[in-house]
Amino acid sequence: MELVPFTDSTSLVGDSRALASRLAEDGYLCLRGLLPEPDVAAVRDRILALARGAGWLLPSTGTELPLADRRATAWWPDPGYVAVHDRMWRDRDLHALMHSPALLAVLSGLFGEPVLVHPRKVLRVVHPRCATTPPETGWHQDYPGIQGSERTVAVWTPLVPVEPGTGALTVLPGSHRAGQLPMRLSNNSMVGWEADADTSTVHTGRLDPGDVIVFTAFTVHSGSANEGPRLRISVDCRYQPVSDPVCPGSLEFDDGRTWDDVYRTWPSGGRGDPLSHYWRRLPITVVDYDPGPHSAREHEVIAAAEAGNPDARRALQVISVYGGDHASRERATALLREPPFGASRVPVTSPE
Ligand SMILES: O=C(O)CCC(=O)C(=O)O
C-alpha cells in the first residue's frame, strides 16, 4: 500500500467549478484552515475537560495537548464510555462548527443549491490503541449506510492534530467512480466487512484543527489506527442538496433519544436557537431507508460462517449484538460458540 499525501485544494476555494471538477476526479477535497481554528479549539477544550473529568487523561501542566491515561482506555459499548461520549457530543458549539459559513459556502457552491446539513453529526473520541481496542472502521463507502441522496458528501475534520500514525483519515482516490462496490468479509474492520476496493494507493497525511476533508458518499475511506499517546478527536457530518431525498436515520434518532433531550442541555434549552430542529423548517423530502441490502449482507455472513469461513468472525460478533432481526442475532450468537469460531475475546463495539 503506497501512502500519498492528500492533494491540497485550498487554493481552489471560491471557485466552485474547479472544486466540483476536483471532487469529481479524486472523490475528495482537502481544504486547509476552512473552519475557524479558535472555534475548533474552544470545542476541543470543552471535550478535553470532560475527558479529564472522566479520568481519561494524565495530569498535564504545559501547553501541549494532554496525554491519555492508558489505564482508562474505553470504547463502545462500555456504559462509562457511552455516557461521557454523549455529554461531549451534546456540546452545542460542536454542532455549530459543522454549520460554519465558509464550509456551507463551499458546499452550496458544489451543489449549486442550498445545503441540508444532516443533524446527526458524528464525534469520534478514540483512545490510543491497545490490545482491547477494536479495529478501525475499515474501507467503506457511506452511501449504503445512509442512502437518501447519491449527491451526499461527508466532511471530516480533526479537533486535534492527526497524522497517518495517529488516526488521520485515509481515502482511496478515484474510488467513487465505480459507484457502489461489493463488500468482502474482514476481521480487521469494525463492522466485519469492507468495500472490495483496490487499496494499492491511499491518500492521507497530517491534518490540523480547521482543516477539512470533503468526500463523496461513494468514496472509499477509513479511519486509521491511533498509535499515538493522545486522544484522537474528530467530527464528521454529512451534507446534501436540500432538494434531494433524505432518510429518517440522517435526521432523527433510532434509539429512543429525542432532539428535545439534547436541546435541554443547550443554553436556554435551545429555545430561539437557529440550530434547534432547523431541518424541520426546510422543504425536505424524507424517504424510507431500504433495509434490504443490509439484511442480505447479514444473511451472506451467516451463510459464510455456516460454511466455516473464518473471515466471518468479526461480522458475526457485530450481528450477534446489532443484527437487524432476532433470528439473525440468535444464529450469529450460536455460530460464535461453534468451531471454527469458538468463544470470542474481541469486544463488540458500535458499528457506527
Ligand atoms: O474517523 C474515522 O475513523 C472514520 C470516519 C468515517 O468513516 C466517516 O467519516 O465516514
Side-chain angles (χ1 to χ4, degrees), residues 6 8-10 30-35 205-208 210-212:
F6 288 123
D8 190 331
S9 298
T10 314
C30 173
L31 306 175
R32 306 238 175 230
L34 192 65
L35 301 181
R206 182 184 169 102
L207 293 167
D208 286 302
D211 298 346
V212 304

Side-chain angles (χ1 to χ4, degrees), residues 124 137 140 142 156 169 215 221-224 232 234 236 238:
R124 301 179 200 251
T137 50
H140 66 283
D142 281 350
W156 189 98
L169 190 74
F215 54 93
H221 61 283
S222 172
S224 64
R232 181 272 218 176
S234 64
D236 45 272
R238 275 133 207 98

Side-chain angles (χ1 to χ4, degrees), residues 15-53:
D15 182 346
S16 298
R17 195 184 288 244
L19 285 173
S21 138
R22 176 70 58 80
L23 184 64
E25 181 65 19
D26 292 349
Y28 79 92
L29 300 170
C30 173
L31 306 175
R32 306 238 175 230
L34 192 65
L35 301 181
E37 202 276 332
D39 294 359
V40 181
V43 171
R44 178 201 57 220
D45 289 347
R46 281 195 301 280
I47 288 175
L48 286 176
L50 290 167
R52 187 173 301 291

Side-chain angles (χ1 to χ4, degrees), residues 43-79:
V43 171
R44 178 201 57 220
D45 289 347
R46 281 195 301 280
I47 288 175
L48 286 176
L50 290 167
R52 187 173 301 291
W56 292 2
L57 303 176
L58 293 174
S60 65
T61 48
T63 51
E64 288 234 320
L65 289 172
L67 300 174
D69 187 339
R70 288 176 183 269
R71 293 165 302 182
T73 298
W75 188 245
W76 272 281
D78 175 341

Side-chain angles (χ1 to χ4, degrees), residues 106 123 184 237 259:
V106 165
L123 168 70
R184 62 179 171 227
C237 178
W259 281 103

Side-chain angles (χ1 to χ4, degrees), residues 1-351:
M1 183 185 293
E2 188 194 2
L3 301 191
V4 174
F6 288 123
T7 302
D8 190 331
S9 298
T10 314
S11 63
L12 304 182
V13 170
D15 182 346
S16 298
R17 195 184 288 244
L19 285 173
S21 138
R22 176 70 58 80
L23 184 64
E25 181 65 19
D26 292 349
Y28 79 92
L29 300 170
C30 173
L31 306 175
R32 306 238 175 230
L34 192 65
L35 301 181
E37 202 276 332
D39 294 359
V40 181
V43 171
R44 178 201 57 220
D45 289 347
R46 281 195 301 280
I47 288 175
L48 286 176
L50 290 167
R52 187 173 301 291
W56 292 2
L57 303 176
L58 293 174
S60 65
T61 48
T63 51
E64 288 234 320
L65 289 172
L67 300 174
D69 187 339
R70 288 176 183 269
R71 293 165 302 182
T73 298
W75 188 245
W76 272 281
D78 175 341
Y81 179 87
V82 173
V84 175
H85 179 277
D86 186 58
R87 288 183 64 202
M88 294 169 164
W89 178 84
R90 283 166 186 253
D91 187 286
R92 189 251 172 217
D93 290 345
L94 178 143
H95 291 255
L97 196 59
M98 303 314 279
H99 294 247
S100 292
L103 176 58
L104 295 188
V106 165
L107 297 170
S108 57
L110 284 173
F111 297 144
E113 64 170 281
V115 181
L116 168 64
V117 185
H118 289 192
R120 294 191 64 185
K121 286 97 186 159
V122 180
L123 168 70
R124 301 179 200 251
V125 183
V126 184
H127 289 254
R129 201 221 277 269
C130 69
T132 56
T133 323
E136 285 66 58
T137 50
W139 296 113
H140 66 283
Q141 299 173 304
D142 281 350
Y143 186 76
I146 53 171
Q147 298 180 11
S149 170
E150 296 194 351
R151 294 195 287 166
T152 297
V153 299
V155 172
W156 189 98
T157 192
L159 302 191
V160 295
V162 288
E163 312 218 19
T166 58
L169 190 74
T170 51
V171 300
L172 300 182
S175 53
H176 63 301
R177 288 190 234 127
Q180 195 170 326
L181 295 169
M183 303 282 203
R184 62 179 171 227
L185 291 169
S186 163
N187 288 331
N188 296 322
S189 85
M190 203 178 276
V191 291
W193 53 60
E194 56 185 359
D196 197 359
D198 172 7
T199 57
S200 52
T201 304
V202 169
H203 283 199
T204 186
R206 182 184 169 102
L207 293 167
D208 286 302
D211 298 346
V212 304
I213 302 292
V214 180
F215 54 93
T216 82
F218 294 98
T219 304
V220 180
H221 61 283
S222 172
S224 64
N226 179 12
E227 309 280 4
R230 297 185 169 79
L231 296 178
R232 181 272 218 176
I233 310 174
S234 64
V235 187
D236 45 272
C237 178
R238 275 133 207 98
Y239 302 80
Q240 65 170 82
V242 77
S243 66
D244 278 7
V246 58
C247 287
S250 298
L251 305 172
E252 305 290 341
F253 302 101
D254 44 18
D255 58 4
R257 282 179 296 163
T258 68
W259 281 103
D260 286 325
D261 297 336
V262 175
Y263 300 148
R264 257 189 281 285
T265 61
W266 286 16
S268 307
R271 277 181 298 281
D273 190 323
L275 283 184
S276 294
H277 299 303
Y278 63 88
W279 62 98
R280 297 187 187 166
R281 297 187 289 276
L282 296 174
I284 58 175
T285 306
V286 181
V287 294
D288 286 341
Y289 177 84
D290 175 8
H294 188 81
S295 132
R297 256 195 318 276
E298 292 191 349
H299 288 115
E300 275 169 36
V301 170
I302 287 173
E306 286 173 341
N309 184 342
D311 295 339
R313 175 194 299 278
R314 179 79 198 161
L316 275 187
Q317 290 169 339
V318 173
I319 294 170
S320 70
V321 179
Y322 299 104
D325 61 75
H326 181 71
S328 300
R329 290 194 294 274
E330 291 281 289
R331 185 69 189 123
T333 306
L335 282 162
L336 282 169
R337 291 199 201 99
E338 297 168 13
F341 306 105
S344 160
R345 286 178 290 119
V346 182
V348 175
T349 59
S350 164

